């Protein structure tokens, strides 16, 4: 079977960016960057004197807490989430006064007027049926020069409205679309080997290995920063960072490297860094970014595993994540947190089972167990911030991923419920779930936690 664009390159699936949200920060920055580039390429920048951004749906409902306005301004200025300094992004919208200006892409293309009033929040509006959409409009006087609507579809991926079926620039015509078809392709090899062949086809061997190693380096650095940083996270909740103090306690107790207490510290470290707006790797989103790196870091620290295990883990995780993305969603705004933390847990369980020596069927079973036990999980961040319950949820899910991998490895890969069935159930559950519980902060914890 040939299926367009099912396998998404690990180099894009695990994209290096900034916090606190892949869909609300990284995606809008990329959309605004694209829009500015299009104005420049069309030779329109000289005539543009004003830009307006309309944020729709979830981007409007929780945009302030997710730094969406800051991200839009950064993208219009030509900043890229992978290479920019987080300090050059956060706080820029608050600094913008009436009549303030934003420099367009390239820095030498002049200024356009962009005020607080030009960032329009429309939480009840959906464009093209998607909960995360934004429309950028460029004006010359009162005349519209150019307008485009973008969909932020989760994980930092962005599509221009009207091109929803367009394949990713880093995806490939796959031999499989489902987990069943993936297993059929692995009769004489592993999932990681199959994924690597696709990576090499897209990037070449050197670029594939270099890119995967860079992703792991960024993940590891995020954990290490998080375990060494203390203080209070941004926003009105006043949430204190806990990873550093927990890390110190475990060191003082000479805690066994195999202990899952370390695992929870590593996951919290990543998500505290994300909540602070720091450098983080989507895995597959920012809100769920702590699970995959925590499980892999814990495995390496406990066993001394090297580069081969890192690549096997991340390639396996990318293959499983690609199937979830193609057949359901990795977006909290579309599927609730089952699409973010549930997907990340399945990916981490699959990766760990692979480096434990599990067969493809055991790996598929590990992902199924992990995903199954996140079905129905809502996304209702308190205060529109990626803090409560997100940080602790990553720590709990990291532990669940290890349990799922161990359970699957103890079996022979035979099980009643398939990963494909669970993914389809997740998709249906997401469709049935009230929008109040899908990253809008209109239900659940978000409305029941009393802010002091």
């Amino acid at each position: 079977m040939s299926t367009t664009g099912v396998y998404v390159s690990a180099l894009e699936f695990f994209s290096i960016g900034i916090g606190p949200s892949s869909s609300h920060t990284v995606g809008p920055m990329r959309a605004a960057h694209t829009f500015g580039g299009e104005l420049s390429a069309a030779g329109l920048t000289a005539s543009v004197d004003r830009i307006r951004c309309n944020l729709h749906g979830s981007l409007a409902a929780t945009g302030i807490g997710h730094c969406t306005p800051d991200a839009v301004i950064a993208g219009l200025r030509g900043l890229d989430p992978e290479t920019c300094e987080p300090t050059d992004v956060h706080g820029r919208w608050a600094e913008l006064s009436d009549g303030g200006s934003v420099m367009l892409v390239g820095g030498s293309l002049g200024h356009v007027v962009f005020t607080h009033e030009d960032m329009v929040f429309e939480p009840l509006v959906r464009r093209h049926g998607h909960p995360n959409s934004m429309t950028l409009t460029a004006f010359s006087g009162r005349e519209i020069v150019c307008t485009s609507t973008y969909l932020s579809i989760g994980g930092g991926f962005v599509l221009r409205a009207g091109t929803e079926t367009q394949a990713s620039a880093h995806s490939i015509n796959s031999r499989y679309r489902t987990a069943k078809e993936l297993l059929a392709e692995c009769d004489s090899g592993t999932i990681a080997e199959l994924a690597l062949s696709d990576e090499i086809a897209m990037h070449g061997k050197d670029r594939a290995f270099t890119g995967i190693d860079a992703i792991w380096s960024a993940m590891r650095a995020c954990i290490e920063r998080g375990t060494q940083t203390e203080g209070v996270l941004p926003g009105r909740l006043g949430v204190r960072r806990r990873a550093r103090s927990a890390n110190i306690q475990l060191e003082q107790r000479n805690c066994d490297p195999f202990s899952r207490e370390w695992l929870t510290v590593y996951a919290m470290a990543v998500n505290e860094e994300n909540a602070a707006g720091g450098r983080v790797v989507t895995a597959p989103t920012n809100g769920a970014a702590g699970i995959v790196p925590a499980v892999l870091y814990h495995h390496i620290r406990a066993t001394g595993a090297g580069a081969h295990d890192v690549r096997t883990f991340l390639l396996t995780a990318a293959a499983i994540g690609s199937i979830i993305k193609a057949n359901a969603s990795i977006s909290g705004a579309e599927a609730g947190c089952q699409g973010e933390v549930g997907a990340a847990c399945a990916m981490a369980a699959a990766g760990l089972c692979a480096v434990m020596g599990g067969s493809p069927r055991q790996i598929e079973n590990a992902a199924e167990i992990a995903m199954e036990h996140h079905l129905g999980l809502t996304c209702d961040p308190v205060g529109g911030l990626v803090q409560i319950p997100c940080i602790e949820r990553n720590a709990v899910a990291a532990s669940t991923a290890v349990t799922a991998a161990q359970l699957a490895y103890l079996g022979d890969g035979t099980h009643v419920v398939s990963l494909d069935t669970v993914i389809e159930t997740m998709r249906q559950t997401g469709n049935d779930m009230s929008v109040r519980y899908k990253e809008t902060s209109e239900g659940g914890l978000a409305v029941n936690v009393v802010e002091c």
Side-chain angles (χ1 to χ4, degrees), residues 185-242:
E185 292 292 332
C186 293
D187 280 345
S188 59
T190 69
I191 293 174
E193 288 169 348
L194 185 64
L196 179 59
S197 69
D198 286 342
E199 294 289 344
I200 292 173
M202 284 184 274
H203 305 294
K205 185 175 181 179
D206 290 345
R207 170 63 182 137
F209 283 155
T210 299
I212 292 170
D213 293 346
I215 287 165
W216 173 238
S217 178
M219 286 180 168
R220 186 179 64 243
C222 185
I223 290 175
E224 292 169 354
R225 282 195 312 274
T227 55
Q228 298 301 316
T229 306
E230 58 187 5
V232 178
L233 294 172
R236 60 185 181 274
L237 298 179
V239 174
R240 296 196 64 82
R241 298 176 70 137
R242 292 178 288 168

Side-chain angles (χ1 to χ4, degrees), residues 8-15 30 155 157 168-171 215 282:
V8 179
S9 170
L11 276 60
E12 186 176 14
F13 211 94
F14 300 113
S15 61
R30 287 179 173 157
F157 294 93
S168 162
H170 296 113
S171 62
I215 287 165
T282 59

Side-chain angles (χ1 to χ4, degrees), residues 368-446:
E368 178 272 324
I369 294 169
M371 174 63 79
E372 181 180 11
H373 296 286
H374 284 90
L375 290 176
L377 192 63
T378 60
C379 181
D380 47 4
V382 178
L385 300 167
V386 193
Q387 298 176 17
I388 300 174
C390 316
I391 296 170
E392 291 177 351
R393 185 169 284 178
N394 274 253
V396 173
S399 183
T400 300
V402 174
T403 299
Q406 291 171 336
L407 281 172
Y409 190 66
L410 290 170
D412 62 2
T414 303
H415 53 110
V416 175
V417 181
S418 70
L419 176 58
D420 289 327
T421 297
V422 174
I423 292 172
E424 172 59 16
T425 302
M426 189 265 275
R427 185 191 68 79
Q428 294 174 4
T429 303
N431 287 344
D432 293 339
M433 188 182 292
S434 168
V435 70
R436 287 159 49 82
Y437 302 107
K438 293 195 285 188
E439 211 168 7
T440 57
S441 290
E442 294 177 349
L445 281 176

Side-chain angles (χ1 to χ4, degrees), residues 18-33:
I18 65 170
S21 173
S22 51
S23 59
H24 287 58
T25 315
V26 176
M29 189 188 304
R30 287 179 173 157
H33 184 281

Side-chain angles (χ1 to χ4, degrees), residues 102-390:
V102 176
M103 185 170 287
L104 284 176
V105 176
S108 60
L109 300 175
H111 290 74
V112 295
V113 173
F114 194 94
T115 70
H116 271 227
E117 286 69 30
D118 291 316
M119 189 75 69
V120 182
F121 296 85
E122 300 176 309
L124 301 181
V125 174
R126 292 167 69 102
R127 289 286 184 266
H128 295 262
H130 199 277
N132 279 343
S133 60
M134 56 183 281
T135 300
L136 287 159
T137 306
F139 295 87
S140 177
R142 295 186 177 182
E143 179 184 355
I144 294 176
V145 174
C146 180
T147 185
S148 290
T149 295
Y150 303 89
L151 312 179
S152 184
I153 60 174
F157 294 93
V158 176
L159 291 176
R160 182 192 304 281
T163 62
E164 289 84 349
T165 60
Q166 178 179 315
S168 162
H170 296 113
S171 62
I172 193 168
N173 288 349
S174 303
R175 290 156 279 184
Y176 59 88
R177 182 178 182 84
T178 65
K180 180 179 179 180
E181 293 168 353
L182 172 63
L183 292 178
E185 292 292 332
C186 293
D187 280 345
S188 59
T190 69
I191 293 174
E193 288 169 348
L194 185 64
L196 179 59
S197 69
D198 286 342
E199 294 289 344
I200 292 173
M202 284 184 274
H203 305 294
K205 185 175 181 179
D206 290 345
R207 170 63 182 137
F209 283 155
T210 299
I212 292 170
D213 293 346
I215 287 165
W216 173 238
S217 178
M219 286 180 168
R220 186 179 64 243
C222 185
I223 290 175
E224 292 169 354
R225 282 195 312 274
T227 55
Q228 298 301 316
T229 306
E230 58 187 5
V232 178
L233 294 172
R236 60 185 181 274
L237 298 179
V239 174
R240 296 196 64 82
R241 298 176 70 137
R242 292 178 288 168
R244 183 175 186 273
S245 62
N247 186 69
I248 291 171
Q249 290 180 56
L250 296 184
E251 287 178 341
Q252 290 174 341
R253 286 162 40 192
N254 293 316
C255 192
D256 190 314
F258 281 94
S259 170
R260 291 201 192 177
E261 289 175 284
W262 286 113
L263 187 65
T264 60
V265 170
Y266 303 148
M268 286 199 304
V270 172
N271 284 87
E272 287 175 355
E273 280 293 290
N274 178 62
R279 178 73 61 209
V280 68
V281 180
T282 59
T285 67
N286 283 26
I291 300 163
V292 167
V295 172
L296 180 51
Y297 192 89
H298 184 257
H299 170 75
I300 291 172
R301 188 164 181 263
T303 65
H308 181 267
D309 270 10
V310 169
R311 293 165 181 169
T312 296
F313 188 109
L314 293 178
L315 287 165
T316 303
I320 295 299
S322 294
I323 292 173
I324 296 171
K325 182 177 184 294
N327 293 287
S329 176
I330 59 170
S331 167
E334 287 186 302
C337 202
Q338 58 173 358
E340 295 197 38
V341 165
C345 188
M347 292 163 61
L352 180 59
C353 191
V355 297
M356 290 168 64
S359 68
R361 294 188 182 279
Q362 288 172 314
I363 293 167
E364 184 261 356
N365 188 196
E368 178 272 324
I369 294 169
M371 174 63 79
E372 181 180 11
H373 296 286
H374 284 90
L375 290 176
L377 192 63
T378 60
C379 181
D380 47 4
V382 178
L385 300 167
V386 193
Q387 298 176 17
I388 300 174
C390 316

